């Protein structure tokens, strides 16, 4: 009897082990878990994606080039035989792992301009999740403008009071990994399942949240952050204009600002100050908070309250390329062959 029970236990253990291996392989091969896009802390920029990565996540391709951009490797530029545009932004520009590289806003913009321009177009995507305006400024300070023919700044409503993100979160928060997890199963649990269970475990969730908080206790109040960001914006735009490079701002709204909700006085006031700064520096602003407020079907552009889906990215690219052609007629030769 004991021998039969021992054999049953052994067979069960082997079966569960084989199922775990099969599950692990399925998560890696089917969903790309176990190999997330990796970041690294940076003393001045805050953090960037590690250079020279090529991975697939939920079947979507993510390629990071040598300059920490979600873009292909830079084209060589011995002369002006192509048009280069530098896109700077946060997670809306980066696109997230639920969006394939080809369907991010910069890539969609590149595809449209490539059809319109007589020479090839290259659009660089310098961005990362939770980057603020201070991070954009620091990136340009480090790497410059890449001899770009134009620069596009994507600035969302939340970016107006977003503090400059620091590298303290890298390697500590599951959404900011700096090395591959040992097991895809472990990543599934820690990064995706556990956060969804936390609301049902209020005591554990609150303790974990307080003990693992990455927000400094001395974070300035929103109005102070707004002032810092507007100062960073002035400095960043000043550097771009000093290089005699055209610059455009794309202002992306949160979903609630354009779908079924009345905007409160604080976001409206902050946006007004932001637009005043842009106007004082003669920077064209594609204000989607205004443009989309009068457009039907905008709710279908959003993946959540902040981030756009593929349809939203394509809508931004369509509007942006039309806007840019009106601002800068000579950005590229659009006469075509």
């Amino acid at each position: 009897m004991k021998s039969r029970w021992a054999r049953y236990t052994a067979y069960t253990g082997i079966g569960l082990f084989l199922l775990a291996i099969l599950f692990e392989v399925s998560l890696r091969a089917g969903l790309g878990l176990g190999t997330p896009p990796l970041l690294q802390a940076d003393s001045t920029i805050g953090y960037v994606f590690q250079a020279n990565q090529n991975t697939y996540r939920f079947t979507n391709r993510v390629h990071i080039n040598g300059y920490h951009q979600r873009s292909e490797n830079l084209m060589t530029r011995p002369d002006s035989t192509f048009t280069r545009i530098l896109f700077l932004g946060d997670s809306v520009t980066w696109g997230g792992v639920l969006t394939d590289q080809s369907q991010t806003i910069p890539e969609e913009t590149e595809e449209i301009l490539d059809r319109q321009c007589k020479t090839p177009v290259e659009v660089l995507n310098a961005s990362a999740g939770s980057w603020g305006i201070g991070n954009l400024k620091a990136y340009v300070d480090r790497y410059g403008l890449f001899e770009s023919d134009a620069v596009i700044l994507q600035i969302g409503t939340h970016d107006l009071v977003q503090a400059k993100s620091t590298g303290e979160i890298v390697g500590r928060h599951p959404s900011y990994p700096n090395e591959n997890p040992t097991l895809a199963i472990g990543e599934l649990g820690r990064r995706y399942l556990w956060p969804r269970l936390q609301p049902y475990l209020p005591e554990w969730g609150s303790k974990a949240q307080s003990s693992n908080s990455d927000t400094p206790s001395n974070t300035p109040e929103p109005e102070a952050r707004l002032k810092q960001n507007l100062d960073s914006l002035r400095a960043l735009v000043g550097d771009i204009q000093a290089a005699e490079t055209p610059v455009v701002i794309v202002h992306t709204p949160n979903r609630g600002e354009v779908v079924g909700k009345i905007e409160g006085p604080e976001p409206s006031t902050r946006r007004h100050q932001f637009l005043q700064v842009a106007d004082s520096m003669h920077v064209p602003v594609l204000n989607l908070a205004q443009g989309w407020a009068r457009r039907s079907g905008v709710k279908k552009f959003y993946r959540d309250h902040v981030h756009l889906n593929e349809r939203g990215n394509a809508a931004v690219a369509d509007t942006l390329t039309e806007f840019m052609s009106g601002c800068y007629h000579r950005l590229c030769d659009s006469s075509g062959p």
Side-chain angles (χ1 to χ4, degrees), residues 311-335:
R311 185 181 297 188
N313 291 342
V316 173
D318 282 336
T319 309
L320 174 61
T321 51
E322 183 178 353
F323 182 78
M324 289 181 68
S325 66
C327 297
Y328 303 112
H329 301 288
R330 304 180 67 178
L331 181 61
C332 69
D333 185 355
S334 59
S335 59

mmCIF file of all heavy atoms in Angstrom, residues 311-335:
data_model
loop_
_atom_site.group_PDB
_atom_site.id
_atom_site.type_symbol
_atom_site.label_atom_id
_atom_site.label_comp_id
_atom_site.label_asym_id
_atom_site.label_seq_id
_atom_site.Cartn_x
_atom_site.Cartn_y
_atom_site.Cartn_z
ATOM 1 N N ARG A 311 -5.697 52.719 -32.596
ATOM 2 C CA ARG A 311 -6.569 53.635 -33.323
ATOM 3 C C ARG A 311 -6.273 55.083 -32.925
ATOM 4 O O ARG A 311 -6.237 55.974 -33.782
ATOM 5 C CB ARG A 311 -8.035 53.298 -33.033
ATOM 6 C CG ARG A 311 -9.030 54.140 -33.847
ATOM 7 C CD ARG A 311 -10.465 53.794 -33.512
ATOM 8 N NE ARG A 311 -10.785 52.415 -33.848
ATOM 9 C CZ ARG A 311 -12.012 51.909 -33.789
ATOM 10 N NH1 ARG A 311 -13.034 52.675 -33.400
ATOM 11 N NH2 ARG A 311 -12.231 50.653 -34.089
ATOM 12 N N GLY A 312 -6.041 55.303 -31.646
ATOM 13 C CA GLY A 312 -5.706 56.648 -31.180
ATOM 14 C C GLY A 312 -4.364 57.114 -31.709
ATOM 15 O O GLY A 312 -4.200 58.284 -32.093
ATOM 16 N N ASN A 313 -3.382 56.210 -31.732
ATOM 17 C CA ASN A 313 -2.069 56.566 -32.273
ATOM 18 C C ASN A 313 -2.166 56.988 -33.737
ATOM 19 O O ASN A 313 -1.549 57.975 -34.161
ATOM 20 C CB ASN A 313 -1.106 55.385 -32.148
ATOM 21 C CG ASN A 313 -0.730 55.079 -30.707
ATOM 22 O OD1 ASN A 313 -0.907 55.910 -29.820
ATOM 23 N ND2 ASN A 313 -0.210 53.893 -30.472
ATOM 24 N N ALA A 314 -2.937 56.235 -34.504
ATOM 25 C CA ALA A 314 -3.104 56.568 -35.925
ATOM 26 C C ALA A 314 -3.810 57.912 -36.093
ATOM 27 O O ALA A 314 -3.460 58.699 -36.978
ATOM 28 C CB ALA A 314 -3.901 55.462 -36.622
ATOM 29 N N ALA A 315 -4.789 58.199 -35.214
ATOM 30 C CA ALA A 315 -5.504 59.480 -35.298
ATOM 31 C C ALA A 315 -4.562 60.638 -34.992
ATOM 32 O O ALA A 315 -4.615 61.688 -35.642
ATOM 33 C CB ALA A 315 -6.687 59.479 -34.323
ATOM 34 N N VAL A 316 -3.695 60.469 -33.980
ATOM 35 C CA VAL A 316 -2.719 61.517 -33.665
ATOM 36 C C VAL A 316 -1.781 61.740 -34.847
ATOM 37 O O VAL A 316 -1.511 62.883 -35.238
ATOM 38 C CB VAL A 316 -1.906 61.147 -32.408
ATOM 39 C CG1 VAL A 316 -0.774 62.166 -32.189
ATOM 40 C CG2 VAL A 316 -2.805 61.105 -31.178
ATOM 41 N N ALA A 317 -1.284 60.654 -35.430
ATOM 42 C CA ALA A 317 -0.348 60.772 -36.550
ATOM 43 C C ALA A 317 -0.996 61.468 -37.748
ATOM 44 O O ALA A 317 -0.369 62.323 -38.394
ATOM 45 C CB ALA A 317 0.161 59.385 -36.954
ATOM 46 N N ASP A 318 -2.232 61.133 -38.042
ATOM 47 C CA ASP A 318 -2.943 61.775 -39.163
ATOM 48 C C ASP A 318 -3.063 63.278 -38.933
ATOM 49 O O ASP A 318 -2.771 64.086 -39.821
ATOM 50 C CB ASP A 318 -4.343 61.167 -39.318
ATOM 51 C CG ASP A 318 -4.311 59.816 -40.008
ATOM 52 O OD1 ASP A 318 -3.345 59.555 -40.747
ATOM 53 O OD2 ASP A 318 -5.258 59.028 -39.807
ATOM 54 N N THR A 319 -3.530 63.648 -37.742
ATOM 55 C CA THR A 319 -3.723 65.071 -37.432
ATOM 56 C C THR A 319 -2.393 65.807 -37.372
ATOM 57 O O THR A 319 -2.272 66.941 -37.849
ATOM 58 C CB THR A 319 -4.463 65.218 -36.093
ATOM 59 O OG1 THR A 319 -5.641 64.406 -36.093
ATOM 60 C CG2 THR A 319 -4.860 66.664 -35.841
ATOM 61 N N LEU A 320 -1.379 65.144 -36.805
ATOM 62 C CA LEU A 320 -0.071 65.771 -36.640
ATOM 63 C C LEU A 320 0.586 66.070 -37.980
ATOM 64 O O LEU A 320 1.124 67.174 -38.180
ATOM 65 C CB LEU A 320 0.828 64.872 -35.794
ATOM 66 C CG LEU A 320 2.285 65.315 -35.651
ATOM 67 C CD1 LEU A 320 2.373 66.682 -34.972
ATOM 68 C CD2 LEU A 320 3.078 64.268 -34.868
ATOM 69 N N THR A 321 0.571 65.119 -38.891
ATOM 70 C CA THR A 321 1.232 65.342 -40.185
ATOM 71 C C THR A 321 0.544 66.468 -40.954
ATOM 72 O O THR A 321 1.206 67.276 -41.608
ATOM 73 C CB THR A 321 1.235 64.055 -41.012
ATOM 74 O OG1 THR A 321 -0.090 63.502 -41.065
ATOM 75 C CG2 THR A 321 2.167 63.015 -40.413
ATOM 76 N N GLU A 322 -0.780 66.532 -40.857
ATOM 77 C CA GLU A 322 -1.500 67.629 -41.505
ATOM 78 C C GLU A 322 -1.151 68.963 -40.855
ATOM 79 O O GLU A 322 -0.944 69.978 -41.537
ATOM 80 C CB GLU A 322 -3.001 67.372 -41.426
ATOM 81 C CG GLU A 322 -3.838 68.414 -42.144
ATOM 82 C CD GLU A 322 -5.326 68.103 -42.077
ATOM 83 O OE1 GLU A 322 -5.696 67.010 -41.590
ATOM 84 O OE2 GLU A 322 -6.128 68.963 -42.505
ATOM 85 N N PHE A 323 -1.059 68.954 -39.524
ATOM 86 C CA PHE A 323 -0.719 70.168 -38.778
ATOM 87 C C PHE A 323 0.692 70.639 -39.137
ATOM 88 O O PHE A 323 0.926 71.835 -39.357
ATOM 89 C CB PHE A 323 -0.826 69.875 -37.282
ATOM 90 C CG PHE A 323 -0.555 71.044 -36.387
ATOM 91 C CD1 PHE A 323 -1.522 72.019 -36.179
ATOM 92 C CD2 PHE A 323 0.656 71.166 -35.718
ATOM 93 C CE1 PHE A 323 -1.284 73.100 -35.335
ATOM 94 C CE2 PHE A 323 0.903 72.244 -34.875
ATOM 95 C CZ PHE A 323 -0.069 73.212 -34.686
ATOM 96 N N MET A 324 1.626 69.711 -39.218
ATOM 97 C CA MET A 324 3.015 70.068 -39.515
ATOM 98 C C MET A 324 3.167 70.611 -40.928
ATOM 99 O O MET A 324 3.945 71.533 -41.168
ATOM 100 C CB MET A 324 3.930 68.858 -39.316
ATOM 101 C CG MET A 324 4.118 68.459 -37.867
ATOM 102 S SD MET A 324 5.228 67.055 -37.688
ATOM 103 C CE MET A 324 6.787 67.775 -38.185
ATOM 104 N N SER A 325 2.426 70.050 -41.863
ATOM 105 C CA SER A 325 2.510 70.546 -43.237
ATOM 106 C C SER A 325 2.006 71.978 -43.325
ATOM 107 O O SER A 325 2.459 72.762 -44.170
ATOM 108 C CB SER A 325 1.705 69.641 -44.185
ATOM 109 O OG SER A 325 0.313 69.707 -43.897
ATOM 110 N N GLY A 326 1.077 72.349 -42.435
ATOM 111 C CA GLY A 326 0.595 73.724 -42.412
ATOM 112 C C GLY A 326 1.569 74.673 -41.741
ATOM 113 O O GLY A 326 1.642 75.855 -42.088
ATOM 114 N N CYS A 327 2.347 74.135 -40.771
ATOM 115 C CA CYS A 327 3.310 74.981 -40.044
ATOM 116 C C CYS A 327 4.625 75.126 -40.800
ATOM 117 O O CYS A 327 5.221 76.205 -40.834
ATOM 118 C CB CYS A 327 3.597 74.381 -38.670
ATOM 119 S SG CYS A 327 2.180 74.291 -37.574
ATOM 120 N N TYR A 328 5.087 74.026 -41.386
ATOM 121 C CA TYR A 328 6.405 74.012 -42.010
ATOM 122 C C TYR A 328 6.283 73.433 -43.426
ATOM 123 O O TYR A 328 6.422 72.229 -43.635
ATOM 124 C CB TYR A 328 7.378 73.173 -41.175
ATOM 125 C CG TYR A 328 7.493 73.657 -39.750
ATOM 126 C CD1 TYR A 328 7.007 72.906 -38.694
ATOM 127 C CD2 TYR A 328 8.085 74.891 -39.457
ATOM 128 C CE1 TYR A 328 7.109 73.348 -37.380
ATOM 129 C CE2 TYR A 328 8.183 75.345 -38.158
ATOM 130 C CZ TYR A 328 7.691 74.576 -37.126
ATOM 131 O OH TYR A 328 7.785 75.031 -35.829
ATOM 132 N N HIS A 329 6.043 74.295 -44.358
ATOM 133 C CA HIS A 329 5.795 73.854 -45.728
ATOM 134 C C HIS A 329 7.029 73.205 -46.355
ATOM 135 O O HIS A 329 6.910 72.383 -47.249
ATOM 136 C CB HIS A 329 5.355 75.041 -46.594
ATOM 137 C CG HIS A 329 4.104 75.714 -46.099
ATOM 138 N ND1 HIS A 329 2.865 75.128 -46.214
ATOM 139 C CD2 HIS A 329 3.906 76.893 -45.453
ATOM 140 C CE1 HIS A 329 1.951 75.931 -45.685
ATOM 141 N NE2 HIS A 329 2.558 77.004 -45.214
ATOM 142 N N ARG A 330 8.214 73.577 -45.871
ATOM 143 C CA ARG A 330 9.430 73.098 -46.503
ATOM 144 C C ARG A 330 10.131 72.029 -45.665
ATOM 145 O O ARG A 330 11.328 71.797 -45.815
ATOM 146 C CB ARG A 330 10.383 74.282 -46.744
ATOM 147 C CG ARG A 330 9.743 75.388 -47.577
ATOM 148 C CD ARG A 330 10.684 76.544 -47.808
ATOM 149 N NE ARG A 330 11.817 76.156 -48.651
ATOM 150 C CZ ARG A 330 12.773 77.008 -49.030
ATOM 151 N NH1 ARG A 330 12.746 78.272 -48.623
ATOM 152 N NH2 ARG A 330 13.764 76.594 -49.786
ATOM 153 N N LEU A 331 9.368 71.369 -44.779
ATOM 154 C CA LEU A 331 9.970 70.322 -43.969
ATOM 155 C C LEU A 331 10.526 69.225 -44.853
ATOM 156 O O LEU A 331 11.599 68.679 -44.605
ATOM 157 C CB LEU A 331 8.936 69.749 -42.984
ATOM 158 C CG LEU A 331 9.431 68.649 -42.059
ATOM 159 C CD1 LEU A 331 10.572 69.168 -41.163
ATOM 160 C CD2 LEU A 331 8.299 68.122 -41.195
ATOM 161 N N CYS A 332 9.802 68.862 -45.867
ATOM 162 C CA CYS A 332 10.297 67.907 -46.858
ATOM 163 C C CYS A 332 9.600 68.217 -48.185
ATOM 164 O O CYS A 332 8.573 68.903 -48.202
ATOM 165 C CB CYS A 332 10.065 66.466 -46.442
ATOM 166 S SG CYS A 332 8.328 65.968 -46.426
ATOM 167 N N ASP A 333 10.126 67.718 -49.237
ATOM 168 C CA ASP A 333 9.522 67.937 -50.553
ATOM 169 C C ASP A 333 8.351 67.009 -50.721
ATOM 170 O O ASP A 333 8.522 65.803 -50.929
ATOM 171 C CB ASP A 333 10.577 67.671 -51.640
ATOM 172 C CG ASP A 333 10.044 68.008 -53.042
ATOM 173 O OD1 ASP A 333 8.848 68.337 -53.134
ATOM 174 O OD2 ASP A 333 10.815 67.940 -53.993
ATOM 175 N N SER A 334 7.157 67.527 -50.588
ATOM 176 C CA SER A 334 5.952 66.684 -50.620
ATOM 177 C C SER A 334 5.338 66.602 -52.002
ATOM 178 O O SER A 334 4.230 66.113 -52.182
ATOM 179 C CB SER A 334 4.910 67.240 -49.642
ATOM 180 O OG SER A 334 4.581 68.570 -49.989
ATOM 181 N N SER A 335 6.081 67.078 -52.998
ATOM 182 C CA SER A 335 5.513 67.057 -54.345
ATOM 183 C C SER A 335 5.443 65.660 -54.906
ATOM 184 O O SER A 335 4.606 65.339 -55.736
ATOM 185 C CB SER A 335 6.355 67.942 -55.283
ATOM 186 O OG SER A 335 7.692 67.483 -55.318
#
